[in-house]
Amino acid sequence: MFVNCFFPSYYLQSEDTQQQIIRETFHLVSKRDENVCNFLEGGMLIGGSDNKLIYRHYATLYFVFCVDSSESELGILDLIQVFVETLDKCFENVCELDLIFHVDKVHNILAEMVMGGMVLETNMNEIVTQIDAQNKLEKSEAGIAGAPARAVSAVKNMNLPEIPRNINIGDISIKVPNLPSFK
Amino acid sequence: MALKMVKGSIDRMFDKNLQDLVRGIRNHKEDEAKYISQCIDEIKQELKQDNIAVKANAVCKLTYLQMLGYDISWAAFNIVEVMSASKFTFKRIGYLAASQCFHEGTDVIMLTTNQIRKDLSSPSQYDTGVALTGLSCFVTPDLARDLANDIMTLMSHTKPYIRKKAVLIMYKVFLKYPESLRPAFPRLKEKLEDPDPGVQSAAVNVICELARRNPKNYLSLAPLFFKLMTSSTNNWVLIKIIKLFGALTPLEPRLGKKLIEPLTNLIHSTSAMSLLYECVNTVIAVLISLSSGMPNHSASIQLCVQKLRILIEDSDQNLKYLGLLAMSKILKTHPKSVQTHKDLILQCLDDKDESIRLRALDLLYGMVSKKNLMEIVKKLMLHVDKAEGTTYRDELLTKIIDICSQSNYQYITNFEWYISILVELTRLEGTRHGHLIAAQMLDVAIRVKAIRAFAVSQMAMLLDNAHLLAGNTQRNGICEVLYAAAWICGEFSEHLQEPRQTLEAMLKPKVATLPGHIQAVYVQNAVKLYASVLQQKEDSGEKQGAEEVTQLLIDRLPQFIQSADLEVQERASCILQLIKYIQKLQSKDVPVAEEVTALFAGELNPVAPKAQKKVPVPDGLDLDVWINEPPSESESEDEKPQTIFREEEHRHTKQRRTEVDEAELARRREARKQEQANNPFYIKSSPSPQKGYQDSSGVEHIPVVQIDLSVPLKVPGVPLSDQYLKLEEERRQKQKIEKQKKKKKQKKEKRGKQRRHDSLHTESDEDITPAQQVDIITEEMPENALPSDEDEKDPNDPYKALDIDLDRPLAENEKLPVQKHRASENQKTPEEETPSAEQKSKKPSKKAKKEKEKKKKEKKKSKDKESKKHKKSSPALINEEREEEEEDSVTASATAPKEPPAAESKEESEKPPTDFQTSDLDFWLSTSPAPTKSQLLVGFKKAEAIAVCSESAVSTVASEPEEAKQEEGENEKEETKPSKHKKKKHKKEKEEKKSKKKKQQQQSDEETVETPESVQNGTLDDETLPPMSSYCLLAESSYIKMMYDVQGNLQDGSQVVVSVIFENKCNSYLKSMEFNVLDSLNTKLIRPEGSSVHDGIAVPFQLPPEISNEARFVFTVQSIVMPQKLKGTLTFIVKTDDGSSHEKLDFKLHFNCTSYLISTPCYSDAFAKLLESGELKVSSAKVDGVSIPFQHLLAKICFHHHFSVVERVNSCASMYSRSIQGHHVCLLVKMGEKSVSVDAKCSDPTLLGNVLDEIKQTLTEKC
């Protein structure tokens, strides 16, 4: 479950308020039935009556956009669709875990679509082109130095999900030391 | 050392990255907080390392933690470090973190200014892009001011990717730094017609956002948007524009008239629901704006309502929701058309979707009438019972109150019913809107006199059952109604049946659990009640009864004195003293009731909430003037504690008029002193100037108003226990009734009325519509209140700052701050120069236009005269007429006040331009409906052309050259505004020359103006230049004439735009024009996607007779160093009355080298540097026999070859230009005796040669 909330004043709030907004939004959205409309009237938390929550529900994921009255409601629904399709293209068959483990990438993709709370680009091909170009740039920068890190991370990805760092046997907890602190 | 490095990099490999962190958190569900704090410790270690990759990784993890709600502002400096990394990968991480955690309070943000500037000008578009994205989230006023100019430059970046981001971020900059709006606006406007759809949409987005807040400033853009609306196919852009029109139409009803047809067409034609919906919305806005003036739009309303009904009936809940939303907009002006759909809306109230129910509720608000109010509210009350979730129920509650109270209780015919509804609403548990109900109760009870008795009885009942309402005080807002209940019972106690009983209810020990402000009201109103009970008892001679009541108060008040709330405590202790005194008097058998009642004498009138603000300042009162001289620092410092103390005491005593005994006083003084001593803020508070003058003295000297209590009081007796019992019984009984009432409200009401003798209405009244006449007291306003509505505007609105007149020419001091290298230099940077130059030229062009219009008018007049003279103009007359016309225009220009040279009058009065602007708009709006559909397609330009046509059509003899020139001028205006201005001016001057007057004077004027000071930068002052047009003849036949001009496209180094003016020379319609060229290897016409290289491009308009219009074609060019020639053909259909024929016209397009140049202003020092750099090739040319003034010569080079003058000294000037592909071209032009020598330097030798040739050719041409 992933709530993606953006509106200009969001990041101006304190962390606690941000969390509260997310929690309440999630609470509101998640209890809604499948066959009800995708708009929610704005409460005070998201900046008053001019604002609306517009969301789409995909399996376990909710994509929630908070918009003001200058945006077209149906347009934003389309935009969410574009966003999800873009994610799908960039991650190659996107799934929940992709979004959880690569939040930074999701942010980067979103940044190509929405900038400072305003819609920047709605053409999926254009977005994908820019993202690909940036990824290429990133790869070329990493060069050879990046290779071992990538290898390690690949290994980690292979094995670690199954190995918990804390092994609890009864009451005795043996802590697996973290490698960086090993001198 | 090496080992350490190796170890470092190996360590790094095993650092946790973001994925590890996420995984770790997921694996530590039980002790997440502990795990994260451990991770944060690790991150802190990582941030201490020098390796930027490690830091970036750490910041990346922090970003994630921030999302989880952890404060990461402590790492702000590290984030800045990562932002300034050279690698894009790290930079992006840094900016992402910054965008999430920086805000205006972040102090390191000012360290970023230079870094961001560097990134903005980075050669890598992604560095720039990422900086723009980040900046959009954390831009502060300082950043906006410092970077506005850099961002503005980026708006003309070659890459559309950067352009669109730069355009979009400008909105944020405007918000933070409103001064930047005016300088940046011309460029923003330009971007509306950017070739890249993304940039265009960004510009539309920004302007729509601006216009939404302050629509009136953007009315002048309406024609442009209209054009975009009729030509754009991008639904996203269309929606934005249509929404914008929705905001503009209320300001200009004529715009609405113009819009309705295309919008209706769109409604019928579009398949996109989103677009359809927005169209309907805007049509509604138009209809609202028209509703006053134009009655006959029922067809459009019907269409809208029909479409909306379809939406509401759709199974898609989204459409249903939006349909209801739009319906509520129609409701305001056309309630009747909505009311017919009442069934549908009531049905929506039962929808399972809360949002839809809420929207339906909104609609109900506008649909109630006197007839159906009760029915609707009854239905809503049912929903209230059913509603589970508190939010929806609260919403229902507010809606019920809104519906009932709207427009001054207009629809309520029976207030008893309303009060009982309110009482019933108090049964809701856990609602947050107790205060709303309370406010309604108070309002109704105060303003509807007739209802007071009933209200009081109901309130008394509420008070008796207070424990039901106050059940769980903490979260329960409903206890607020007790506030109202207590106040109403106290204030209107004369209507109470059992005041004593109510009094006891108000003094119950349970009251102590209520919130403080309610207790305070309880205490105060208990005294009011007490006063009335006392009065009653004394009147009936029950001395004992009176004493009992007094004793009751004395017994119960101490519990309030112990209250934690100061207000309650204070009031209670004062009142207790008062009552004790009364008791003393009572014991002496003095009748006191009258005196006590006098405490609360007088009627309270409702006061409008804004009344205070509306009190006008009396004449001669200046609120800003000191009443007394401000005290000196030291004095106030010393006296402050005492004066404040005294002031306060003074006020209190006045208010309460109670005698305070000495001991009490001493105690309080002690307490206050204690409080002052303990209050750390006490000394620090700023000295109050008005208090300083007062002579300080002890508290003893406070003037205390004594109550005149000469009459002895009776000693109160002890209340009888049996009376208590009886009261208790009664109370229980009432509780029972109350409980029954919960289910059967009606029954209870009957009972309530039976108890009261003065009941005005019977039960059946409730169903009778025209019930009793109730005098509703309107709220009081001060006499001669100012009828302003300005108080509706929020002074803190951040968008108010953007309410800026955009049509006023730019003033000198309005330029964007530019980072300066040397303070002494007062030159302008190129970036800055361009927009301001544009802005400046705007006004003169308008002036010229107005003159033109004037001319036209006079021309017309004279024509009319002539046509009266010669009823039929024979061909022979045409010439004569033409001459006369020319004379006319000469006189017109002569009569027009001779403007001082435009360049000098830039800063002239500001009004005229705006007037012209509006008259432009008026002109656009007033054009008659188009004769053909094609007009809609070309919009503004076309509309103007037709207007011109219709004027000239008065007589067909309209002189063709004149006409052509006008057309040309008009089109040129679109293309190159400055040149148009020049041209118009010169035409005029030419004519003046013809009249051979003042020419000499003019020349000499000019001579004096042209002092041999060096003129720097920008295009030249241009008073007496010969007329110039950059358009050259492309081809001509008996049907059509084509003129063309080639312009480089600065934004794309490989594109040029060819503007072609098509002029219909015959008397037939020209249709289906197709423009085609044979592409060469180097130069290709850009055709729409999917068409082959041999396909022509359809010209997007048709030409009625005598009309000309302009179309643009974009070509790609690979190499620009050589001139090019392209062969092409124009095919078209000539449609005459007796049929149509296909025709064609061949032409050759010349692409000169200088047409690839773009006039770019340049610093003289940058210019010198360029020349010294040695990278440029040199060549020179000499032309003999040039006799035109040097001034003209320079202007010619500037105009035809797109150069700008860098510096000019006497008869020598340096000029600069740049090609679209970035070649520098520098010229040094020297004027000798009848010869001109041109030295040129350029980075490309071939280009150099060709440019020089072309200049040479221009100079040798006779003008």
Side-chain angles (χ1 to χ4, degrees), chain B residues 517-531:
Chain B
H517 64 285
I518 298 178
Q519 283 187 57
V521 169
Y522 263 65
V523 173
Q524 191 75 19
N525 286 285
V527 189
K528 289 185 196 166
L529 267 178
Y530 166 73

Side-chain angles (χ1 to χ4, degrees), chain A residues 37-38 41 121 130 141 157, chain B residues 89 126 164 318 321 353:
Chain A
C37 78
N38 296 342
E41 303 281 309
E121 183 60 69
Q130 300 299 350
E141 277 181 351
N157 285 339
Chain B
T89 319
Y126 292 114
K164 73 180 176 201
N318 292 333
Y321 169 86
D353 187 351

Side-chain angles (χ1 to χ4, degrees), chain B residues 770-982:
Chain B
Q772 80 273 41
Q773 272 298 323
V774 189
D775 54 329
I776 300 177
I777 308 167
T778 47
E779 293 170 323
E780 270 190 359
M781 280 292 223
E783 286 168 47
N784 57 7
L786 305 167
S788 62
D789 283 330
E790 59 190 327
D791 38 20
E792 275 154 36
K793 274 196 177 174
D794 177 14
N796 297 325
D797 183 10
Y799 307 104
K800 214 179 159 189
L802 287 180
D803 190 356
I804 292 167
D805 180 10
L806 295 164
D807 299 325
R808 199 156 42 88
L810 209 60
E812 243 356 280
N813 56 358
E814 276 190 296
K815 291 186 175 122
L816 290 179
V818 181
Q819 205 189 13
K820 280 181 187 135
H821 296 292
R822 265 169 274 164
S824 61
E825 215 153 31
N826 53 357
Q827 280 175 336
K828 303 156 193 164
T829 60
E831 298 86 39
E832 186 188 15
E833 178 60 21
T834 349
S836 54
E838 273 166 15
Q839 184 77 302
K840 278 171 200 158
S841 63
K842 207 167 154 190
K843 183 192 146 196
S845 79
K846 269 179 221 139
K847 233 178 232 170
K849 189 170 169 186
K850 202 204 166 187
E851 274 166 32
K852 189 185 77 190
E853 268 171 17
K854 242 195 222 164
K855 261 191 255 170
K856 267 194 237 158
K857 260 186 213 161
E858 292 199 23
K859 195 166 75 184
K860 210 171 153 190
K861 254 190 231 161
S862 66
K863 260 185 227 157
D864 289 347
K865 271 186 218 157
E866 278 159 27
S867 55
K868 270 176 204 163
K869 272 186 215 160
H870 334 275
K871 285 218 166 164
K872 274 180 189 172
S873 48
S874 63
L877 278 172
I878 293 177
N879 278 331
E880 202 184 310
E881 250 177 36
R882 204 180 279 174
E883 264 175 40
E884 268 181 75
E885 239 167 62
E886 262 175 23
E887 263 174 41
D888 273 342
S889 51
V890 171
T891 45
S893 60
T895 47
K898 244 188 71 196
E899 315 261 357
E904 283 172 24
S905 63
K906 273 175 233 155
E907 308 308 330
E908 246 195 7
S909 67
E910 282 160 358
K911 235 187 155 167
T914 35
D915 285 345
F916 295 157
Q917 189 72 40
T918 38
S919 70
D920 269 3
L921 187 71
D922 286 345
F923 187 47
W924 178 68
L925 288 167
S926 59
T927 40
S928 52
T932 54
K933 281 265 170 195
S934 65
Q935 193 225 332
L936 290 177
L937 291 173
V938 272
F940 183 30
K941 249 194 284 174
K942 181 81 179 179
E944 225 178 28
I946 285 175
V948 170
C949 163
S950 62
E951 254 176 56
S952 56
V954 174
S955 63
T956 43
V957 292
S959 56
E960 267 176 29
E962 186 77 23
E963 184 78 22
K965 262 186 208 162
Q966 270 172 13
E967 290 302 331
E968 210 176 292
E970 229 153 87
N971 290 320
E972 246 175 60
K973 192 190 76 204
E974 300 280 326
E975 186 74 334
T976 53
K977 277 182 179 164
S979 73
K980 141 106 206 250
H981 156 230
K982 268 185 229 162

Side-chain angles (χ1 to χ4, degrees), chain B residues 1162-1195:
Chain B
C1162 185
Y1163 278 134
S1164 58
D1165 60 342
F1167 186 75
K1169 222 174 261 174
L1170 198 63
L1171 291 180
E1172 284 161 13
S1173 68
E1175 287 163 11
L1176 306 183
K1177 310 284 182 299
V1178 197
S1179 180
S1180 60
K1182 196 168 179 184
V1183 184
D1184 289 327
V1186 178
S1187 54
I1188 57 171
F1190 188 54
Q1191 166 94 4
H1192 295 185
L1193 188 134
L1194 288 186

Side-chain angles (χ1 to χ4, degrees), chain B residues 533-808:
Chain B
V533 174
L534 205 60
Q535 183 81 54
Q536 210 181 327
K537 299 277 178 195
E538 266 184 24
D539 287 351
S540 58
E542 294 176 58
K543 190 187 158 205
Q544 204 190 2
E547 283 174 2
E548 273 171 17
V549 180
T550 314
Q551 189 57 43
L552 175 70
L553 244 71
I554 291 176
D555 288 347
R556 299 290 175 83
L557 276 175
Q559 63 167 325
F560 292 106
I561 294 180
Q562 290 158 10
S563 166
D565 194 276
L566 265 180
E567 178 85 7
V568 180
Q569 210 183 88
E570 217 172 359
R571 286 191 192 197
S573 50
C574 285
I575 286 164
L576 186 60
Q577 290 307 315
L578 180 74
I579 303 287
K580 277 181 180 165
Y581 188 65
I582 294 170
Q583 195 181 29
K584 234 189 270 173
L585 291 175
Q586 269 181 334
S587 68
K588 289 177 198 160
D589 270 348
V590 184
V592 283
E594 222 162 285
E595 312 279 336
V596 179
T597 326
L599 280 175
F600 307 106
E603 177 92 344
L604 286 175
N605 285 331
V607 176
K610 287 169 189 165
Q612 181 69 45
K613 268 196 264 173
K614 302 251 178 177
V615 178
V617 179
D619 282 343
L621 176 64
D622 186 351
L623 292 174
D624 295 331
V625 161
W626 289 109
I627 295 171
N628 295 288
E629 281 308 301
S632 67
E633 284 289 299
S634 58
E635 200 187 342
S636 62
E637 202 74 349
D638 291 339
E639 289 172 13
K640 188 185 49 192
Q642 288 214 318
T643 48
I644 285 176
F645 175 36
R646 226 185 60 156
E647 269 289 297
E648 246 173 56
E649 187 59 36
H650 186 77
R651 219 184 57 216
H652 284 311
T653 43
K654 253 193 179 165
Q655 250 179 14
R656 278 181 264 124
R657 300 173 180 231
T658 31
E659 170 85 274
V660 191
D661 70 14
E662 200 59 37
E664 174 72 341
L665 206 66
R667 191 186 62 78
R668 283 194 208 162
R669 189 162 58 199
E670 208 47 48
R672 286 216 176 90
K673 273 183 184 162
Q674 196 71 28
E675 207 181 301
Q676 280 170 30
N678 292 338
N679 190 349
F681 300 105
Y682 204 78
I683 299 292
K684 283 171 209 160
S685 62
S686 63
S688 168
Q690 275 107 335
K691 286 164 193 161
Y693 69 96
Q694 278 174 348
D695 230 319
S696 80
S697 53
V699 199
E700 291 80 8
H701 299 270
I702 302 160
V704 176
V705 182
Q706 300 226 334
I707 303 173
D708 186 15
L709 285 176
S710 53
V711 199
L713 291 177
K714 285 177 190 167
V715 185
V718 190
L720 289 171
S721 56
D722 60 312
Q723 209 176 335
Y724 256 167
L725 265 170
K726 204 175 139 202
L727 280 173
E728 192 64 32
E729 234 170 64
E730 262 185 35
R731 214 183 64 198
R732 279 188 194 146
Q733 202 184 350
K734 263 190 208 161
Q735 272 172 30
K736 234 194 230 166
I737 297 162
E738 198 81 18
K739 268 172 198 160
Q740 285 170 354
K741 187 181 137 193
K742 213 171 191 173
K743 284 160 205 156
K744 305 176 199 169
K745 178 201 89 195
Q746 313 287 52
K747 241 183 189 172
K748 186 227 69 202
E749 246 180 327
K750 253 181 202 166
R751 273 200 72 120
K753 273 167 211 154
Q754 278 162 7
R755 272 191 319 161
R756 287 166 49 245
H757 309 297
D758 57 344
S759 163
L760 288 170
H761 321 283
T762 55
E763 175 60 25
S764 54
D765 261 58
E766 286 196 6
D767 301 318
I768 298 166
T769 337
Q772 80 273 41
Q773 272 298 323
V774 189
D775 54 329
I776 300 177
I777 308 167
T778 47
E779 293 170 323
E780 270 190 359
M781 280 292 223
E783 286 168 47
N784 57 7
L786 305 167
S788 62
D789 283 330
E790 59 190 327
D791 38 20
E792 275 154 36
K793 274 196 177 174
D794 177 14
N796 297 325
D797 183 10
Y799 307 104
K800 214 179 159 189
L802 287 180
D803 190 356
I804 292 167
D805 180 10
L806 295 164
D807 299 325
R808 199 156 42 88

Side-chain angles (χ1 to χ4, degrees), chain B residues 301-369:
Chain B
I301 298 166
Q302 279 313 312
L303 176 69
C304 288
V305 176
Q306 247 170 40
K307 287 276 172 189
L308 289 179
R309 182 157 185 129
I310 293 171
L311 287 184
I312 296 173
E313 282 171 336
D314 200 292
S315 61
D316 185 347
Q317 298 280 329
N318 292 333
L319 297 181
K320 187 175 270 192
Y321 169 86
L322 293 175
L324 288 170
L325 196 64
M327 204 66 121
S328 64
K329 287 177 191 157
I330 303 189
L331 188 68
K332 279 169 210 146
T333 48
H334 303 91
K336 288 228 174 81
S337 25
V338 181
Q339 268 164 16
T340 51
H341 299 285
K342 202 176 102 192
D343 55 318
L344 193 63
I345 288 152
L346 283 176
Q347 201 180 310
C348 287
L349 270 186
D350 296 323
D351 201 285
K352 57 187 171 303
D353 187 351
E354 192 176 303
S355 302
I356 287 177
R357 287 197 305 252
L358 288 176
R359 293 268 62 107
L361 269 183
D362 269 359
L363 276 171
L364 278 183
Y365 178 83
M367 285 169 54
V368 289
S369 63

Side-chain angles (χ1 to χ4, degrees), chain B residues 446-481:
Chain B
I446 294 171
R447 293 172 60 185
V448 187
K449 279 186 180 157
I451 204 64
R452 282 180 191 164
F454 180 75
V456 166
S457 75
Q458 294 290 307
M459 294 304 117
M461 212 173 318
L462 277 181
L463 285 177
D464 282 348
N465 300 295
H467 60 282
L468 291 178
L469 300 176
N472 45 346
T473 332
Q474 299 85 281
R475 306 189 303 108
N476 202 340
I478 203 68
C479 62
E480 288 287 333
V481 296

